[in-house]
Amino acid sequence: MARLLLPVFLIFSVFLLMRGHDSPGGGFTGGLVASAGFVLYGLVHGPRSVRRALRINLKPLIGIGLSIGLASALIGPLMGRPFFSAYWWKLPFGPKIGTPAIFDIGVYVVVLAVVLTIMLAREEREA
Amino acid sequence: MGAGGSLFVTVFLPFLAALAVPGLGRMFGRRLGTVLALVPLAILVLHLPRLATRVEAKGSIPWAPDLGLSLAFRIDSLALAFVLLIATVAAAVFPYAGAYLGADRRFFATLLAFMGAMLGIVLADDLILLFIFWELTSVTSFLLIAHHSERPEARRSAQQAFLVTFVGGLTLLAGALIIGHEAGTTRLTELPDTVRATPAYLAVVVCVLAAAFTKSAQVPFHFWLPNAMEAPTPVSALLHSATMVQAGVYLVARLDPFLGGTLLWTDALTYVGCVTAVLGGLLSLRQYDLKRLLAYSTVGALGLLIAAIGQRAWGAFYGFFIAHGLYKAAMFLVAGSLDHGGGSRDVRTLAGLGPKMAVTRGTAIAAGLSMAALPPALGYVGKEGLLHAASPLLIGATVIYGATSLAVAALVALRPFRKGVPPESAHEVAGGMRLGAAILAALGIALFPLAPALGRVFVGEPFALVAPGGWSLVTWAAGVGLYALWVARSPQGRPSTFSMDRLYDGVRRNGFTLAAFITRRVQHGYLNGYVRAVFGTLVVLVAYGIARALPTALPRELEAPTFYEFALAVTMIVGAGAAVVSASRLAAVAALGIVGYGVAVIYVRFGAPDLAMTQIAVETLTLILFVFTFYYLPKPQRRRNPGPRLRDGIVAGAVGVTMTVLTFIASAMQNDGKLNRFFSENALSEGKGRNVVNVILVDFRGFDTLGEITVLAVAGLGVFALLRMPKRERGGGPSAP
């Protein structure tokens, strides 16, 4: 049952992330919901299976999230504009994407990685 | 940007290369050092043409215009000299390091980062930017000195170097901020001359000189440099002879047009520089370890450079700076080769290596010529320049230092190769190690005939190739005498009745004792003690604030609660009560959950869905975490005396009352709603989003959020580290029941 629920949680969390800019949601909430999904999975199948399901090591994932956030802020200087300047591009199939949205993705990843690090920290094996 | 673009490339290319090191390491294996030498070579190629054409260039990107911060770079003749020296020495050191240390990815990434930071210092046009790169060199230097981190000596020396130079960096920041305040800008190319006249001048000079003297190992801050020899030899060659320690010299030279010309400036630089030169030179002769010999010699050379700036003897400065950078780096590499191939760094015992290490010997002699200031080496031009200075103090210091320099040169270049019996395993070192050192030494000779041209580029007038004056002869003679003295007396051990090094140790030890004492008193291990302390302080401070605001702040009209709100409040209160009185931990946790979810419902009721979702998620995860943790705790004990419960109850009650009163007052305060209106109106047009909360988080106040996720990341890593620490006896009692 948990195996079925995890993808649902993950899809919902991404949904929350994407709609965050116009409706309730965003990176923090999305990340929390995603980590809740993994925690539920872990309650049923054990912590080791969570790490397997994630496929990426947690501590580097924290760094990746921070890097994504920082990279979105550095797009400005790369174009000769101030740090954290916002850029928006219109995609052909509808939604708009911009540096704040990329930043939000970074937030999502960091929240997910940190929460899982804390929840899984007590098990014996290295991540 | 145009011409300025090359400056950005120069500074950031090493950092990008550092990021690519893991991949490059996999691709090139043992050749990593040689491949990475392409980075400094590229920089060299980029800037060498400036010697012949226009030297000046600028470029900048606005970073935070409201704060006046920009990513601004500028190159001129001073910066060019440093850039060329850094790139040349680095190009020689990288292949050497590759042969010396193999393909150590962590090492090379740090070394590249260091190089980028060093280039950043000399090319930065903004004082704050310069400060950032300054501290970055301190950090990378720390990592590099402690490379052999299993050795306690290495760790201690790295810590010492870092503490001394980092504190200096902080004074640099202070100085930069004062300058910014007085001059209205922190852009170096826009600083007015008027800073000299303001009352803050003294403070600025103190700050700047503190930074420069700590970084460039001037007396009394010189003690960290000899200890930094714990670093691998390539690091000593690059950082602690030719580049990092020169950062202080650069700073002083760079700020001289704005801060110099006064008696304070001139005297401070001249006296400190000369004392350092003499002390460094004389102390070097008490050493017998090759690297420490060279380290003290470097201290002295830095002193001479500082004094030269004080006297504004620019020709002498540039000449000596270039020559010293080349020969000192070469000498360090030779020392490393002798260590590697000859098996020892002790000059008292090294002998007979001439036949087996011919290339190293040739390199050592070439570099030694420059170091001893003998023609036809560039060092001769440099020293001659100093000896023709106007100040007798500077001349005297140069004579003394020059004599010691010659003696040390002889010790490194002649003594290990003299007639004798080498150890069985003696061998010449690998090509990579020979090549770099040889090129640096050869440059010292090759540039000699070019000296006049160099002078024209950097100072506007050619360096004169004159015949040796009287002082030169005195210096040489004294140098020979000192060498003979050293050989006859053969120093026994590390010196000094009074040593700054021991003073540092004492301060550090006492600092740790004090810290341990405080920690034992404050961190007693009782969780409810911590909570009481935190909440108690909170109550006292907030109550004080409330008491001051009370006469004027009146709670506004209160609406009557609806039925649902009332029911919600009652439920939460019951839950809180149950948490307090229940005997079972799990029941208490569940009751707390009622309160938490109640808060989420409040958020929904009052129109904050994002907060509500976050609250529910966090509450759920926290409950799960509690349950997991409590599983391992022993059963709670029944308390017999009511005393502690009463005390805890009072604190808890006080917190509740205080926060309630605070909430009333806060909601009653006049709020003109300007911020509210700004955000609601601009969220869609500027932030392109309808969810104002989210737009604020990731756009308007994005920088705050960046800080928040960084804190989150650090907290997560901290929890991980705490829970994974090896189990050992913990002082202190049980945690809360």
Side-chain angles (χ1 to χ4, degrees):
Chain A
M1 184 63 191
R3 237 181 266 270
L4 291 175
L5 277 181
L6 179 59
V8 174
F9 267 85
L10 289 180
I11 293 175
F12 183 57
S13 74
V14 174
F15 167 69
L16 279 177
L17 170 66
M18 298 274 100
R19 82 196 280 249
H21 221 54
D22 290 318
S23 327
F28 285 103
T29 324
L32 282 171
V33 169
S35 50
F38 278 108
V39 168
L40 175 64
Y41 190 77
L43 280 174
V44 175
H45 295 283
R48 232 162 279 198
S49 56
V50 173
R51 295 194 195 276
R52 259 200 309 268
L54 261 178
R55 271 195 277 248
I56 316 176
N57 278 343
L58 275 176
K59 284 199 291 303
L61 192 60
I62 298 180
I64 291 173
L66 279 179
S67 304
I68 296 175
L70 194 58
S72 75
L74 287 175
I75 290 184
L78 270 174
M79 317 266 247
R81 308 291 339 282
F83 189 53
F84 253 115
S85 297
Y87 284 90
W88 289 93
W89 305 281
K90 193 104 177 61
L91 284 177
F93 42 90
K96 56 187 188 301
I97 189 156
T99 51
I102 300 175
F103 183 74
D104 224 359
I105 296 177
V107 171
Y108 174 97
V109 172
V110 172
V111 169
L112 171 62
V114 169
V115 172
L116 284 183
T117 304
I118 295 177
M119 300 298 282
L120 297 177
R122 268 187 358 271
E123 74 152 346
E124 297 311 307
R125 207 167 46 102
E126 253 302 332
Chain B
M1 264 200 307
S6 65
L7 299 180
F8 286 93
V9 169
T10 308
V11 175
F12 291 113
L13 181 63
F15 289 110
L16 289 174
L19 285 174
V21 162
L24 291 172
R26 258 192 302 264
M27 260 201 288
F28 292 105
R30 285 207 65 90
R31 298 168 167 287
L32 185 61
T34 321
V35 167
L36 287 176
L38 287 174
V39 174
L41 274 176
I43 293 174
L44 208 52
V45 164
L46 204 54
H47 290 283
L48 267 176
R50 289 191 200 278
L51 283 174
T53 65
R54 263 176 58 89
V55 175
E56 316 260 331
K58 284 169 69 152
S60 77
I61 295 179
W63 185 261
D66 296 328
L67 295 174
L69 286 177
S70 335
L71 218 54
F73 295 106
R74 164 272 301 118
I75 191 166
D76 59 6
S77 42
L78 178 65
L80 181 65
F82 275 82
V83 167
L84 291 177
L85 186 66
I86 295 169
T88 309
V89 175
V93 165
F94 272 81
Y96 186 96
Y100 197 83
L101 292 169
D104 188 332
R105 300 202 292 254
R106 187 173 56 120
F107 175 80
F108 277 109
T110 319
L111 200 61
L112 278 168
F114 165 79
M115 192 172 85
M118 193 66 216
L119 289 166
I121 290 181
V122 304
L123 288 175
D125 191 19
D126 182 295
L127 270 173
I128 307 287
L129 192 60
L130 198 155
F131 161 75
I132 293 175
F133 285 121
W134 183 279
E135 295 295 49
L136 203 54
T137 58
S138 291
V139 170
T140 47
S141 165
F142 169 77
L143 292 173
L144 289 168
I145 295 176
H147 184 253
H148 296 300
S149 51
E150 64 281 356
R151 295 176 43 129
E153 263 308 310
R155 292 198 301 266
R156 175 200 176 263
S157 303
Q159 214 178 57
Q160 183 182 62
F162 183 68
L163 281 176
V164 175
T165 57
F166 191 76
V167 169
L170 291 180
T171 60
L172 174 60
L173 180 63
L177 292 175
I178 299 176
I179 290 179
H181 184 254
E182 295 290 334
T185 173
T186 48
R187 281 285 196 100
L188 286 167
T189 47
E190 290 169 15
L191 283 184
D193 262 343
T194 54
V195 183
R196 259 186 291 250
T198 67
Y201 178 66
L202 178 63
V204 169
V205 169
V206 167
C207 287
V208 168
L209 290 186
F213 291 165
T214 50
K215 190 70 130 191
S216 291
Q218 300 294 297
V219 171
F221 305 114
H222 61 286
F223 52 92
W224 66 266
L225 189 52
N227 290 331
M229 296 301 112
E230 287 292 327
T233 303
V235 173
S236 305
L238 182 59
L239 271 72
H240 304 128
S241 65
T243 56
M244 188 182 103
V245 294
Q246 302 281 4
V249 173
Y250 170 80
L251 184 69
V252 170
R254 172 60 67 201
L255 290 177
D256 178 76
F258 310 108
L259 298 178
T262 63
L263 208 58
L264 173 67
W265 182 262
T266 309
D267 281 353
L269 290 179
T270 309
Y271 285 118
V272 172
C274 289
V275 167
T276 307
V278 170
L279 197 65
L282 292 176
L283 282 176
S284 68
L285 290 175
R286 300 183 72 161
Q287 307 301 316
Y288 55 84
D289 175 290
L290 276 172
K291 285 179 72 174
R292 288 184 77 95
L293 270 168
L294 294 170
Y296 277 102
S297 172
T298 306
V299 169
L302 293 169
L304 271 189
L305 286 169
I306 294 274
I309 298 176
Q311 293 295 311
R312 292 195 160 164
W314 293 114
F317 169 77
Y318 277 100
F320 185 54
F321 169 71
I322 298 174
H324 172 264
L326 291 173
Y327 74 63
K328 201 42 87 55
M331 285 302 223
F332 268 108
L333 295 182
V334 163
S337 300
L338 285 171
D339 193 12
H340 206 86
S344 157
R345 283 194 337 225
D346 188 334
V347 186
R348 299 172 301 186
T349 59
L350 280 175
L353 292 167
K356 289 210 178 179
M357 299 181 71
V359 175
T360 305
R361 178 192 206 180
T363 306
I365 292 180
L369 277 179
S370 199
M371 187 163 174
L374 292 164
L378 200 58
Y380 170 72
V381 176
K383 282 283 175 41
E384 273 304 305
L386 286 169
L387 289 172
H388 286 279
S391 154
L393 197 60
L394 182 54
I395 295 179
T398 309
V399 168
I400 299 178
Y401 176 75
T404 64
S405 199
L406 191 149
V408 174
L411 282 173
V412 177
L414 296 180
R415 197 129 184 88
F417 305 103
R418 66 176 193 265
K419 278 207 175 19
V421 182
E424 281 289 307
S425 55
H427 60 278
E428 182 59 277
V429 292
M433 289 171 73
R434 282 180 303 203
L435 187 64
I439 291 184
L440 288 176
L443 272 175
I445 313 257
L447 287 177
F448 178 73
L450 294 174
L454 278 178
R456 252 191 301 266
V457 174
F458 290 118
V459 197
E461 49 188 59
F463 292 142
L465 290 181
V466 296
W471 289 120
S472 292
L473 299 171
V474 170
T475 312
W476 291 332
V480 173
L482 284 174
Y483 175 66
L485 197 65
W486 192 98
V487 171
R489 297 279 297 275
S490 197
Q492 291 315 307
R494 306 241 217 113
S496 274
T497 42
F498 175 72
S499 153
M500 284 298 298
D501 199 31
R502 278 218 293 276
L503 186 64
Y504 166 85
D505 258 348
V507 170
R508 192 167 156 271
R509 232 192 338 261
N510 285 326
F512 280 146
T513 312
L514 182 65
F517 172 74
I518 294 178
T519 309
R520 260 199 312 276
R521 301 303 302 281
V522 172
Q523 298 284 339
H524 41 62
Y526 287 89
L527 187 60
N528 46 2
Y530 297 154
V531 173
R532 261 199 311 273
V534 173
F535 281 145
T537 315
L538 177 70
V539 166
V540 168
L541 288 176
V542 174
Y544 176 70
I546 290 177
R548 292 187 51 174
L550 211 42
T552 51
L554 296 164
R556 60 173 177 200
E557 295 290 309
L558 296 175
E559 300 169 9
T562 70
F563 173 71
Y564 291 110
E565 290 165 4
F566 185 71
L568 181 61
V570 168
T571 314
M572 287 173 69
I573 293 175
V574 168
V580 172
V581 303
S582 62
S584 143
R585 280 200 197 90
L586 285 178
V589 167
L592 275 181
I594 296 178
V595 179
Y597 288 124
V599 172
V601 175
I602 292 181
Y603 286 146
V604 172
R605 173 70 184 83
F606 287 96
D610 293 82
L611 283 180
M613 284 196 286
T614 309
Q615 174 72 11
I616 291 176
V618 171
E619 191 64 34
T620 314
L621 289 168
T622 314
L623 286 181
I624 296 176
L625 200 53
F626 267 133
V627 169
F628 273 144
T629 315
F630 287 167
Y631 186 70
Y632 294 98
L633 287 178
K635 281 187 78 60
Q637 302 147 316
R638 276 274 76 168
R639 287 222 200 223
R640 247 143 346 100
N641 57 338
R645 293 283 281 205
L646 194 58
R647 178 184 55 188
D648 293 344
I650 291 177
V651 174
V655 173
V657 168
T658 311
M659 294 313 282
T660 310
V661 174
L662 184 65
T663 313
F664 276 139
I665 292 183
S667 61
M669 276 169 94
Q670 291 303 326
N671 184 353
D672 63 2
K674 230 170 38 190
L675 270 182
N676 281 357
R677 272 200 307 277
F678 174 81
F679 284 130
S680 347
E681 282 160 21
N682 290 307
L684 186 52
S685 49
E686 304 277 348
K688 312 232 186 317
R690 289 187 189 75
N691 180 350
V692 183
V693 173
N694 187 271
V695 172
I696 293 177
L697 272 181
V698 300
D699 200 336
F700 285 122
R701 307 291 303 214
F703 189 61
D704 289 342
T705 312
L706 184 64
E708 281 157 21
I709 57 175
T710 310
V711 171
L712 198 59
V714 172
L717 292 173
V719 168
F720 178 83
L722 276 176
L723 290 178
R724 289 306 187 85
M725 265 192 339
K727 279 192 172 19
R728 50 168 192 233
E729 289 309 306
R730 293 178 218 259
S735 42

